[in-house]
Structure formats: structure tokens, C-alpha cells
Amino acid sequence: MQIGPHILRNKLIVAPMAGVTDRPFRQLCKLMGAGMAVSEMVSSNSLLWGSKKTERRANHEGEVSPISVQIAGADPDMLAAAARYNVENGAQIIDINMGCPAKKICNVMAGSALLQNENLVGKILDAVVKAVDIPVTLKIRTGWDKQHKNALSVAHIAENAGIQALAIHGRTRACAYMGEAEYDTIAAVKAAVKIPVIANGDITTPEKAKHILAYTKADAIMIGRAAQGRPWIFREINHYLTTGQHLQPPEVTEIHQVLINHLHDLYDFYGEYSGVRIARKHISWYTKGLVGSAGFRHAMNQLQTSEQQLSETNIFFSKSAEANQRLSYINNGETSVYECNEGE
């Protein structure tokens, strides 16, 4: 898988997720096997560039290449300026968001709302590609709704504009995250264009990853929600694609340390107050479905300091390690080892 001059080490990419794919999460996913991770979207509104949130999202210190930054907006000139701003701050790939289904994004005609206006799509892509001398990629959905699936048309516009890779989520904007993703549209786009195509949507297991790559002939796959609290999914999928065999489930002691390191990164990146609050959702994702975790997660939401979070996390995982060497989940009332497949 290659995007411009960047040759990825595998076919696995972390999907951009608002409030999730910050620098600590991207670094962790790359460490655990992802070939690339796309940042949470950065607004094209120049008035926001001086905000702490935008500055934090443009912070790529120590991040493993390639550094892909997603921008969002609906004005070609503003998006072009946003692309230049992020290149100046270390971006090596610019990704344009035309896939987000969130109302607050679509209400300002950004994200997947742009799929309704192919003329504007072309203007945006032309403006951004011309504005920077690094690769520009695009993320879309199959269309606005099931009656207006225009991914194929948008793909041709993207290819003609010089977009160097296209990620497609197998749902329309109207579908949001409901129902099941479909891959026929992705396969049709892949057969029609020469640029790399990345398949996204409902990829939760190594078997599903292999099936989607074979079915769509996509060049890579993009994983979002399935990596929340389970960043090691990338090494599991990569091992399965390479060998046809499953890795042993991770040991409790390893994931204990992975989470502790992740928490320290969050505290360092956001500071004590915000770091503790952002850490809560990650701790919940890591432990969801684990035997004995319900009370732990509830108590975690009441803790106010990093010291308390770390202490309770250490206690929980130490007890878990005493009971089982490997992660143990509750599945339909029964205990099983490593049967938790959350995600997109």
C-alpha cells in the first residue's frame, strides 16, 4: 500500500474518529501494528487555529511517519488554507473529510453532506491538491442516502483532481452507523479507478478483514470503532493476513501495561484535569465485557485524579491476572476468553 512517496508497512489504517484518534491513540495503534493512523478532523475555520484544541490536534511531536491529518469544511479556499497550515505543522498527508455523518458537520454542508454537491466536491479537491505539495487523500461514504449512491461518480472526480487514495465507508450518510455496511459499492469503485481504494465499515475480526480485502479487491482496510479499547486488533489482523493463523489472545499483564502507558500519555498530552476525564472512556472501552468489570467502570467515572485512576486500574488488572492469564470476557452470561468484537 503506497500513498504518494509513503510506503505503508501493511494494509491496515486507523480511521479518523473525533475525540478518539488523538496523538496518544494514533501512536499506540501504530505501535500495535497499524500501518497508518489518520488524525481526528481539524476544522478549516481559520478563526479556530489559535485555539488550544486545534493546536493540540496539530501536535505531532514524536509521531511515527506518515503523519496523516484530516481537515473538514465546505469552502474550497478555507480548506486549502487549512491544508497549508497543517503542512506547516508537520502533516505529511492531508485527508479531506467527506464521510462524517454527524449532524453538526452536515448542517454546515461539510462531511458527508458534500456528497450532495458534486460540483463543490470537485472545486474543493482541486483547491486542496493545488495548495500543497504532499499527497491528498479523501474519505467518503457510498452516498447521501440509499437512493443517491454516487461514490463511483465522486471517485472519478477525486481521481481526476489528483487525489492519491480514497477511503470509502460502506454506508450512506442517512445510514449513519445503523445496519450493516455493504461492500459492493466499494468493489465497484475499486474496479473503476486506478488510485488506491481503502475499505471501511464493520471490520471487527481478522476473518472479516481477509474477506473484505478479497471481496472488494481494496488496497487496504480502515478500522475505527473496533480499535477502541483494543488497539492490538491491528497486530491480530496483520498476523492472520500474513500467516492464516490466529495469534494467541493477549495476556492480562501485557494489556495492563498497555493501558497504563496509554493513561500516562493522555495525562501528559492533555494535562491532569482533561486527561483524567478523557481517560475514562478509554478505560471503559478497554474493560468492557471483562469479567468483574462493571463495578470497576462505574467507580472509575467517580474518580477525580490520575493517581486514583492508576491505582484502581492496577488493582483491577492485578486481580484479573490472578484469575486468568489471558483476557477473559463474559459472553451471554458465560465466561469466555477473548470474545469481544465491538466496533466499526
Side-chain angles (χ1 to χ4, degrees):
M1 176 63 182
Q2 183 167 353
I3 301 176
H6 306 290
I7 300 175
L8 309 189
R9 58 174 172 160
N10 56 39
K11 300 173 180 288
L12 310 179
I13 300 172
V14 186
M17 294 177 282
V20 180
T21 48
D22 52 20
R23 193 186 73 191
F25 188 78
R26 296 195 303 272
Q27 289 178 315
L28 175 57
C29 289
K30 290 177 181 179
L31 181 65
M32 304 213 76
M36 187 174 81
V38 185
S39 77
E40 53 186 330
M41 59 187 175
V42 178
S43 172
S44 63
N45 188 341
S46 60
L47 296 176
L48 301 177
W49 292 354
S51 71
K52 287 186 177 180
K53 179 183 287 187
T54 299
E55 288 179 358
R56 192 181 295 117
R57 289 182 176 181
N59 183 337
H60 309 289
E61 185 179 346
E63 189 169 349
V64 176
S65 296
I67 297 169
S68 176
V69 176
Q70 187 179 79
I71 58 176
D75 180 87
D77 292 336
M78 289 178 66
L79 279 160
R84 288 190 291 267
Y85 167 83
N86 282 285
V87 169
E88 291 170 1
N89 283 275
Q92 297 171 317
I93 297 171
I94 293 293
D95 184 62
I96 301 173
N97 182 330
M98 294 189 187
C100 180
K103 288 183 179 180
K104 67 178 182 179
I105 300 298
C106 290
N107 285 346
V108 292
M109 287 306 294
S112 54
L114 289 166
L115 298 177
Q116 298 175 96
N117 188 338
E118 293 183 6
N119 183 54
L120 180 56
V121 167
K123 291 180 179 179
I124 287 172
L125 301 186
D126 286 339
V128 175
V129 169
K130 291 176 182 177
V132 295
D133 59 0
I134 64 171
V136 179
T137 61
L138 174 66
K139 189 169 192 287
I140 65 172
R141 286 186 165 233
T142 56
W144 176 251
D145 57 31
K146 291 183 178 180
Q147 289 70 46
H148 301 90
K149 289 187 177 181
N150 60 339
L152 190 57
S153 177
V154 172
H156 284 302
I157 295 171
E159 187 170 41
N160 291 335
I163 292 298
Q164 297 197 35
L166 176 66
I168 309 173
H169 182 103
R171 290 181 174 89
T172 67
R173 187 275 162 189
C175 292
Y177 296 102
M178 299 179 293
E180 295 183 358
E182 58 93 358
Y183 308 105
D184 289 334
T185 301
I186 299 174
V189 170
K190 174 57 187 172
V193 299
K194 296 180 181 178
I195 59 176
V197 172
I198 303 159
N200 175 227
D202 293 349
I203 303 172
T204 58
T205 67
E207 292 89 348
K208 189 74 174 285
K210 183 177 181 179
H211 167 71
I212 292 170
L213 282 169
Y215 186 81
T216 64
K217 303 296 189 282
D219 299 275
I221 54 176
M222 180 172 276
I223 298 172
R225 288 175 293 166
Q228 293 175 357
R230 188 183 161 190
W232 55 93
I233 190 175
F234 296 101
R235 74 180 184 193
E236 292 178 331
I237 292 176
N238 190 52
H239 184 81
Y240 186 77
L241 293 178
T242 303
T243 68
Q245 298 179 342
H246 288 280
L247 281 175
Q248 279 269 63
E251 294 189 358
V252 174
T253 53
E254 180 198 3
I255 302 311
H256 179 186
Q257 192 58 54
V258 168
L259 176 53
I260 292 297
N261 291 342
H262 191 180
L263 295 181
H264 279 296
D265 285 344
L266 290 172
Y267 304 147
D268 290 342
F269 191 63
Y270 290 102
E272 171 82 8
Y273 182 85
S274 295
V276 166
R277 281 145 186 81
I278 291 169
R280 288 171 182 165
K281 63 186 175 187
H282 289 281
I283 295 169
S284 179
W285 289 332
Y286 272 89
T287 58
K288 185 176 181 179
L290 284 176
V291 174
S293 66
F296 164 75
R297 290 200 308 277
H298 177 73
M300 186 59 64
N301 289 330
Q302 315 306 315
L303 304 181
Q304 301 298 315
T305 69
S306 59
E307 184 178 358
Q308 291 172 328
Q309 278 189 341
L310 292 168
S311 176
E312 291 302 313
T313 298
N314 285 332
I315 291 171
F316 173 78
F317 276 92
S318 294
K319 289 181 178 179
S320 297
E322 291 175 2
N324 293 284
Q325 180 183 3
R326 301 188 182 276
L327 294 183
S328 181
Y329 290 89
I330 298 174
N331 183 29
N332 295 326
E334 298 179 359
T335 300
S336 61
V337 174
Y338 205 59
E339 294 184 4
C340 181
N341 294 319
E342 291 290 323
E344 175 180 45

PDB file of all heavy atoms in Angstrom, residues 170-199:
ATOM      1  N   GLY A 170     -18.745   1.845   3.968  1.00  0.00           N
ATOM      2  CA  GLY A 170     -19.803   1.140   3.260  1.00  0.00           C
ATOM      3  C   GLY A 170     -21.211   1.446   3.723  1.00  0.00           C
ATOM      4  O   GLY A 170     -22.055   0.537   3.765  1.00  0.00           O
ATOM      5  N   ARG A 171     -21.486   2.675   4.078  1.00  0.00           N
ATOM      6  CA  ARG A 171     -22.832   3.122   4.424  1.00  0.00           C
ATOM      7  C   ARG A 171     -23.060   4.500   3.808  1.00  0.00           C
ATOM      8  O   ARG A 171     -22.106   5.232   3.526  1.00  0.00           O
ATOM      9  CB  ARG A 171     -23.016   3.236   5.947  1.00  0.00           C
ATOM     10  CG  ARG A 171     -23.058   1.914   6.696  1.00  0.00           C
ATOM     11  CD  ARG A 171     -23.277   2.190   8.181  1.00  0.00           C
ATOM     12  NE  ARG A 171     -23.461   0.978   8.964  1.00  0.00           N
ATOM     13  CZ  ARG A 171     -22.466   0.285   9.534  1.00  0.00           C
ATOM     14  NH1 ARG A 171     -21.211   0.699   9.389  1.00  0.00           N
ATOM     15  NH2 ARG A 171     -22.721  -0.800  10.235  1.00  0.00           N
ATOM     16  N   THR A 172     -24.317   4.879   3.639  1.00  0.00           N
ATOM     17  CA  THR A 172     -24.634   6.236   3.217  1.00  0.00           C
ATOM     18  C   THR A 172     -24.652   7.149   4.437  1.00  0.00           C
ATOM     19  O   THR A 172     -24.633   6.682   5.576  1.00  0.00           O
ATOM     20  CB  THR A 172     -26.021   6.296   2.542  1.00  0.00           C
ATOM     21  OG1 THR A 172     -27.025   6.001   3.528  1.00  0.00           O
ATOM     22  CG2 THR A 172     -26.110   5.303   1.393  1.00  0.00           C
ATOM     23  N   ARG A 173     -24.753   8.439   4.188  1.00  0.00           N
ATOM     24  CA  ARG A 173     -24.853   9.376   5.306  1.00  0.00           C
ATOM     25  C   ARG A 173     -26.133   9.104   6.094  1.00  0.00           C
ATOM     26  O   ARG A 173     -26.138   9.126   7.323  1.00  0.00           O
ATOM     27  CB  ARG A 173     -24.845  10.822   4.792  1.00  0.00           C
ATOM     28  CG  ARG A 173     -24.771  11.871   5.907  1.00  0.00           C
ATOM     29  CD  ARG A 173     -26.121  12.229   6.493  1.00  0.00           C
ATOM     30  NE  ARG A 173     -25.978  12.886   7.786  1.00  0.00           N
ATOM     31  CZ  ARG A 173     -26.977  13.146   8.599  1.00  0.00           C
ATOM     32  NH1 ARG A 173     -28.202  12.788   8.282  1.00  0.00           N
ATOM     33  NH2 ARG A 173     -26.764  13.750   9.753  1.00  0.00           N
ATOM     34  N   ALA A 174     -27.239   8.817   5.405  1.00  0.00           N
ATOM     35  CA  ALA A 174     -28.510   8.586   6.069  1.00  0.00           C
ATOM     36  C   ALA A 174     -28.457   7.361   6.980  1.00  0.00           C
ATOM     37  O   ALA A 174     -29.161   7.292   7.988  1.00  0.00           O
ATOM     38  CB  ALA A 174     -29.624   8.418   5.035  1.00  0.00           C
ATOM     39  N   CYS A 175     -27.619   6.392   6.638  1.00  0.00           N
ATOM     40  CA  CYS A 175     -27.496   5.170   7.447  1.00  0.00           C
ATOM     41  C   CYS A 175     -26.738   5.417   8.742  1.00  0.00           C
ATOM     42  O   CYS A 175     -26.860   4.622   9.679  1.00  0.00           O
ATOM     43  CB  CYS A 175     -26.777   4.074   6.649  1.00  0.00           C
ATOM     44  SG  CYS A 175     -27.725   3.432   5.260  1.00  0.00           S
ATOM     45  N   ALA A 176     -25.944   6.488   8.776  1.00  0.00           N
ATOM     46  CA  ALA A 176     -25.087   6.768   9.937  1.00  0.00           C
ATOM     47  C   ALA A 176     -24.275   5.515  10.257  1.00  0.00           C
ATOM     48  O   ALA A 176     -23.478   5.086   9.435  1.00  0.00           O
ATOM     49  CB  ALA A 176     -25.906   7.239  11.126  1.00  0.00           C
ATOM     50  N   TYR A 177     -24.479   4.921  11.442  1.00  0.00           N
ATOM     51  CA  TYR A 177     -23.780   3.662  11.779  1.00  0.00           C
ATOM     52  C   TYR A 177     -24.776   2.526  11.994  1.00  0.00           C
ATOM     53  O   TYR A 177     -24.446   1.505  12.598  1.00  0.00           O
ATOM     54  CB  TYR A 177     -22.921   3.864  13.028  1.00  0.00           C
ATOM     55  CG  TYR A 177     -21.813   4.863  12.808  1.00  0.00           C
ATOM     56  CD1 TYR A 177     -21.926   6.161  13.298  1.00  0.00           C
ATOM     57  CD2 TYR A 177     -20.685   4.540  12.072  1.00  0.00           C
ATOM     58  CE1 TYR A 177     -20.936   7.102  13.076  1.00  0.00           C
ATOM     59  CE2 TYR A 177     -19.686   5.470  11.843  1.00  0.00           C
ATOM     60  CZ  TYR A 177     -19.820   6.748  12.351  1.00  0.00           C
ATOM     61  OH  TYR A 177     -18.833   7.672  12.110  1.00  0.00           O
ATOM     62  N   MET A 178     -25.992   2.725  11.481  1.00  0.00           N
ATOM     63  CA  MET A 178     -27.026   1.708  11.649  1.00  0.00           C
ATOM     64  C   MET A 178     -26.926   0.639  10.562  1.00  0.00           C
ATOM     65  O   MET A 178     -26.374   0.876   9.481  1.00  0.00           O
ATOM     66  CB  MET A 178     -28.409   2.357  11.614  1.00  0.00           C
ATOM     67  CG  MET A 178     -28.653   3.385  12.720  1.00  0.00           C
ATOM     68  SD  MET A 178     -30.292   4.138  12.622  1.00  0.00           S
ATOM     69  CE  MET A 178     -30.148   5.070  11.101  1.00  0.00           C
ATOM     70  N   GLY A 179     -27.499  -0.538  10.862  1.00  0.00           N
ATOM     71  CA  GLY A 179     -27.494  -1.609   9.882  1.00  0.00           C
ATOM     72  C   GLY A 179     -26.102  -2.119   9.608  1.00  0.00           C
ATOM     73  O   GLY A 179     -25.160  -1.841  10.348  1.00  0.00           O
ATOM     74  N   GLU A 180     -25.970  -2.869   8.545  1.00  0.00           N
ATOM     75  CA  GLU A 180     -24.674  -3.441   8.181  1.00  0.00           C
ATOM     76  C   GLU A 180     -24.066  -2.696   7.003  1.00  0.00           C
ATOM     77  O   GLU A 180     -24.774  -2.265   6.088  1.00  0.00           O
ATOM     78  CB  GLU A 180     -24.841  -4.921   7.824  1.00  0.00           C
ATOM     79  CG  GLU A 180     -25.292  -5.793   8.982  1.00  0.00           C
ATOM     80  CD  GLU A 180     -25.383  -7.254   8.602  1.00  0.00           C
ATOM     81  OE1 GLU A 180     -25.138  -7.580   7.421  1.00  0.00           O
ATOM     82  OE2 GLU A 180     -25.697  -8.077   9.474  1.00  0.00           O
ATOM     83  N   ALA A 181     -22.761  -2.569   7.039  1.00  0.00           N
ATOM     84  CA  ALA A 181     -22.060  -1.945   5.917  1.00  0.00           C
ATOM     85  C   ALA A 181     -22.152  -2.861   4.699  1.00  0.00           C
ATOM     86  O   ALA A 181     -22.224  -4.082   4.828  1.00  0.00           O
ATOM     87  CB  ALA A 181     -20.600  -1.699   6.283  1.00  0.00           C
ATOM     88  N   GLU A 182     -22.173  -2.247   3.510  1.00  0.00           N
ATOM     89  CA  GLU A 182     -22.153  -3.046   2.283  1.00  0.00           C
ATOM     90  C   GLU A 182     -20.861  -2.757   1.524  1.00  0.00           C
ATOM     91  O   GLU A 182     -20.307  -1.660   1.610  1.00  0.00           O
ATOM     92  CB  GLU A 182     -23.395  -2.764   1.430  1.00  0.00           C
ATOM     93  CG  GLU A 182     -23.581  -1.300   1.016  1.00  0.00           C
ATOM     94  CD  GLU A 182     -22.983  -0.957  -0.335  1.00  0.00           C
ATOM     95  OE1 GLU A 182     -22.375  -1.857  -0.962  1.00  0.00           O
ATOM     96  OE2 GLU A 182     -23.096   0.194  -0.761  1.00  0.00           O
ATOM     97  N   TYR A 183     -20.404  -3.758   0.787  1.00  0.00           N
ATOM     98  CA  TYR A 183     -19.091  -3.651   0.158  1.00  0.00           C
ATOM     99  C   TYR A 183     -19.138  -3.716  -1.364  1.00  0.00           C
ATOM    100  O   TYR A 183     -18.114  -3.563  -2.021  1.00  0.00           O
ATOM    101  CB  TYR A 183     -18.169  -4.740   0.713  1.00  0.00           C
ATOM    102  CG  TYR A 183     -18.152  -4.744   2.227  1.00  0.00           C
ATOM    103  CD1 TYR A 183     -18.824  -5.718   2.961  1.00  0.00           C
ATOM    104  CD2 TYR A 183     -17.508  -3.731   2.940  1.00  0.00           C
ATOM    105  CE1 TYR A 183     -18.839  -5.689   4.347  1.00  0.00           C
ATOM    106  CE2 TYR A 183     -17.520  -3.699   4.326  1.00  0.00           C
ATOM    107  CZ  TYR A 183     -18.198  -4.683   5.023  1.00  0.00           C
ATOM    108  OH  TYR A 183     -18.218  -4.653   6.393  1.00  0.00           O
ATOM    109  N   ASP A 184     -20.361  -3.899  -1.928  1.00  0.00           N
ATOM    110  CA  ASP A 184     -20.472  -3.948  -3.385  1.00  0.00           C
ATOM    111  C   ASP A 184     -20.067  -2.617  -4.017  1.00  0.00           C
ATOM    112  O   ASP A 184     -19.408  -2.582  -5.060  1.00  0.00           O
ATOM    113  CB  ASP A 184     -21.909  -4.296  -3.797  1.00  0.00           C
ATOM    114  CG  ASP A 184     -22.262  -5.739  -3.481  1.00  0.00           C
ATOM    115  OD1 ASP A 184     -21.333  -6.578  -3.417  1.00  0.00           O
ATOM    116  OD2 ASP A 184     -23.452  -6.035  -3.287  1.00  0.00           O
ATOM    117  N   THR A 185     -20.459  -1.518  -3.364  1.00  0.00           N
ATOM    118  CA  THR A 185     -20.104  -0.196  -3.888  1.00  0.00           C
ATOM    119  C   THR A 185     -18.596   0.007  -3.858  1.00  0.00           C
ATOM    120  O   THR A 185     -18.010   0.541  -4.809  1.00  0.00           O
ATOM    121  CB  THR A 185     -20.801   0.909  -3.082  1.00  0.00           C
ATOM    122  OG1 THR A 185     -22.212   0.722  -3.141  1.00  0.00           O
ATOM    123  CG2 THR A 185     -20.443   2.287  -3.619  1.00  0.00           C
ATOM    124  N   ILE A 186     -17.972  -0.427  -2.779  1.00  0.00           N
ATOM    125  CA  ILE A 186     -16.512  -0.300  -2.672  1.00  0.00           C
ATOM    126  C   ILE A 186     -15.831  -1.114  -3.765  1.00  0.00           C
ATOM    127  O   ILE A 186     -14.877  -0.652  -4.406  1.00  0.00           O
ATOM    128  CB  ILE A 186     -16.033  -0.744  -1.281  1.00  0.00           C
ATOM    129  CG1 ILE A 186     -16.671   0.134  -0.194  1.00  0.00           C
ATOM    130  CG2 ILE A 186     -14.512  -0.678  -1.184  1.00  0.00           C
ATOM    131  CD1 ILE A 186     -16.382  -0.313   1.222  1.00  0.00           C
ATOM    132  N   ALA A 187     -16.333  -2.326  -3.998  1.00  0.00           N
ATOM    133  CA  ALA A 187     -15.764  -3.177  -5.046  1.00  0.00           C
ATOM    134  C   ALA A 187     -15.924  -2.534  -6.421  1.00  0.00           C
ATOM    135  O   ALA A 187     -15.006  -2.582  -7.259  1.00  0.00           O
ATOM    136  CB  ALA A 187     -16.433  -4.550  -5.023  1.00  0.00           C
ATOM    137  N   ALA A 188     -17.073  -1.906  -6.656  1.00  0.00           N
ATOM    138  CA  ALA A 188     -17.318  -1.259  -7.948  1.00  0.00           C
ATOM    139  C   ALA A 188     -16.376  -0.081  -8.166  1.00  0.00           C
ATOM    140  O   ALA A 188     -15.854   0.125  -9.272  1.00  0.00           O
ATOM    141  CB  ALA A 188     -18.775  -0.793  -8.022  1.00  0.00           C
ATOM    142  N   VAL A 189     -16.148   0.684  -7.101  1.00  0.00           N
ATOM    143  CA  VAL A 189     -15.223   1.816  -7.203  1.00  0.00           C
ATOM    144  C   VAL A 189     -13.809   1.318  -7.465  1.00  0.00           C
ATOM    145  O   VAL A 189     -13.093   1.847  -8.329  1.00  0.00           O
ATOM    146  CB  VAL A 189     -15.268   2.673  -5.928  1.00  0.00           C
ATOM    147  CG1 VAL A 189     -14.139   3.710  -5.937  1.00  0.00           C
ATOM    148  CG2 VAL A 189     -16.613   3.372  -5.802  1.00  0.00           C
ATOM    149  N   LYS A 190     -13.393   0.294  -6.744  1.00  0.00           N
ATOM    150  CA  LYS A 190     -12.046  -0.247  -6.930  1.00  0.00           C
ATOM    151  C   LYS A 190     -11.821  -0.710  -8.369  1.00  0.00           C
ATOM    152  O   LYS A 190     -10.750  -0.509  -8.940  1.00  0.00           O
ATOM    153  CB  LYS A 190     -11.804  -1.400  -5.944  1.00  0.00           C
ATOM    154  CG  LYS A 190     -10.484  -2.142  -6.153  1.00  0.00           C
ATOM    155  CD  LYS A 190      -9.296  -1.203  -6.081  1.00  0.00           C
ATOM    156  CE  LYS A 190      -7.996  -1.922  -6.465  1.00  0.00           C
ATOM    157  NZ  LYS A 190      -6.853  -0.970  -6.576  1.00  0.00           N
ATOM    158  N   ALA A 191     -12.855  -1.300  -8.955  1.00  0.00           N
ATOM    159  CA  ALA A 191     -12.728  -1.795 -10.330  1.00  0.00           C
ATOM    160  C   ALA A 191     -12.695  -0.669 -11.359  1.00  0.00           C
ATOM    161  O   ALA A 191     -12.238  -0.875 -12.485  1.00  0.00           O
ATOM    162  CB  ALA A 191     -13.891  -2.734 -10.642  1.00  0.00           C
ATOM    163  N   ALA A 192     -13.151   0.518 -10.945  1.00  0.00           N
ATOM    164  CA  ALA A 192     -13.301   1.613 -11.909  1.00  0.00           C
ATOM    165  C   ALA A 192     -12.189   2.649 -11.879  1.00  0.00           C
ATOM    166  O   ALA A 192     -12.053   3.437 -12.811  1.00  0.00           O
ATOM    167  CB  ALA A 192     -14.641   2.306 -11.682  1.00  0.00           C
ATOM    168  N   VAL A 193     -11.395   2.688 -10.797  1.00  0.00           N
ATOM    169  CA  VAL A 193     -10.352   3.711 -10.690  1.00  0.00           C
ATOM    170  C   VAL A 193      -8.980   3.069 -10.494  1.00  0.00           C
ATOM    171  O   VAL A 193      -8.872   1.896 -10.132  1.00  0.00           O
ATOM    172  CB  VAL A 193     -10.637   4.689  -9.520  1.00  0.00           C
ATOM    173  CG1 VAL A 193     -11.959   5.410  -9.739  1.00  0.00           C
ATOM    174  CG2 VAL A 193     -10.636   3.955  -8.185  1.00  0.00           C
ATOM    175  N   LYS A 194      -7.953   3.856 -10.729  1.00  0.00           N
ATOM    176  CA  LYS A 194      -6.582   3.359 -10.610  1.00  0.00           C
ATOM    177  C   LYS A 194      -5.924   3.749  -9.295  1.00  0.00           C
ATOM    178  O   LYS A 194      -4.893   3.175  -8.922  1.00  0.00           O
ATOM    179  CB  LYS A 194      -5.745   3.871 -11.787  1.00  0.00           C
ATOM    180  CG  LYS A 194      -6.206   3.348 -13.143  1.00  0.00           C
ATOM    181  CD  LYS A 194      -5.344   3.890 -14.264  1.00  0.00           C
ATOM    182  CE  LYS A 194      -5.827   3.369 -15.620  1.00  0.00           C
ATOM    183  NZ  LYS A 194      -5.015   3.924 -16.740  1.00  0.00           N
ATOM    184  N   ILE A 195      -6.478   4.722  -8.598  1.00  0.00           N
ATOM    185  CA  ILE A 195      -5.889   5.146  -7.327  1.00  0.00           C
ATOM    186  C   ILE A 195      -6.211   4.103  -6.242  1.00  0.00           C
ATOM    187  O   ILE A 195      -7.185   3.358  -6.360  1.00  0.00           O
ATOM    188  CB  ILE A 195      -6.398   6.532  -6.890  1.00  0.00           C
ATOM    189  CG1 ILE A 195      -7.928   6.541  -6.741  1.00  0.00           C
ATOM    190  CG2 ILE A 195      -5.936   7.594  -7.863  1.00  0.00           C
ATOM    191  CD1 ILE A 195      -8.479   7.856  -6.209  1.00  0.00           C
ATOM    192  N   PRO A 196      -5.393   4.025  -5.190  1.00  0.00           N
ATOM    193  CA  PRO A 196      -5.662   3.073  -4.109  1.00  0.00           C
ATOM    194  C   PRO A 196      -7.024   3.336  -3.452  1.00  0.00           C
ATOM    195  O   PRO A 196      -7.409   4.479  -3.238  1.00  0.00           O
ATOM    196  CB  PRO A 196      -4.523   3.330  -3.118  1.00  0.00           C
ATOM    197  CG  PRO A 196      -3.433   3.926  -3.933  1.00  0.00           C
ATOM    198  CD  PRO A 196      -4.119   4.755  -4.978  1.00  0.00           C
ATOM    199  N   VAL A 197      -7.727   2.248  -3.153  1.00  0.00           N
ATOM    200  CA  VAL A 197      -9.032   2.321  -2.500  1.00  0.00           C
ATOM    201  C   VAL A 197      -8.948   1.605  -1.157  1.00  0.00           C
ATOM    202  O   VAL A 197      -8.395   0.503  -1.063  1.00  0.00           O
ATOM    203  CB  VAL A 197     -10.133   1.692  -3.381  1.00  0.00           C
ATOM    204  CG1 VAL A 197     -11.450   1.589  -2.608  1.00  0.00           C
ATOM    205  CG2 VAL A 197     -10.327   2.510  -4.649  1.00  0.00           C
ATOM    206  N   ILE A 198      -9.481   2.240  -0.133  1.00  0.00           N
ATOM    207  CA  ILE A 198      -9.440   1.710   1.235  1.00  0.00           C
ATOM    208  C   ILE A 198     -10.863   1.408   1.685  1.00  0.00           C
ATOM    209  O   ILE A 198     -11.721   2.285   1.646  1.00  0.00           O
ATOM    210  CB  ILE A 198      -8.785   2.739   2.182  1.00  0.00           C
ATOM    211  CG1 ILE A 198      -7.376   3.102   1.679  1.00  0.00           C
ATOM    212  CG2 ILE A 198      -8.724   2.199   3.613  1.00  0.00           C
ATOM    213  CD1 ILE A 198      -6.860   4.426   2.220  1.00  0.00           C
ATOM    214  N   ALA A 199     -11.112   0.174   2.102  1.00  0.00           N
ATOM    215  CA  ALA A 199     -12.446  -0.251   2.526  1.00  0.00           C
ATOM    216  C   ALA A 199     -12.616  -0.016   4.022  1.00  0.00           C
ATOM    217  O   ALA A 199     -11.725  -0.309   4.818  1.00  0.00           O
ATOM    218  CB  ALA A 199     -12.662  -1.728   2.207  1.00  0.00           C
TER     219      ALA A 199
END
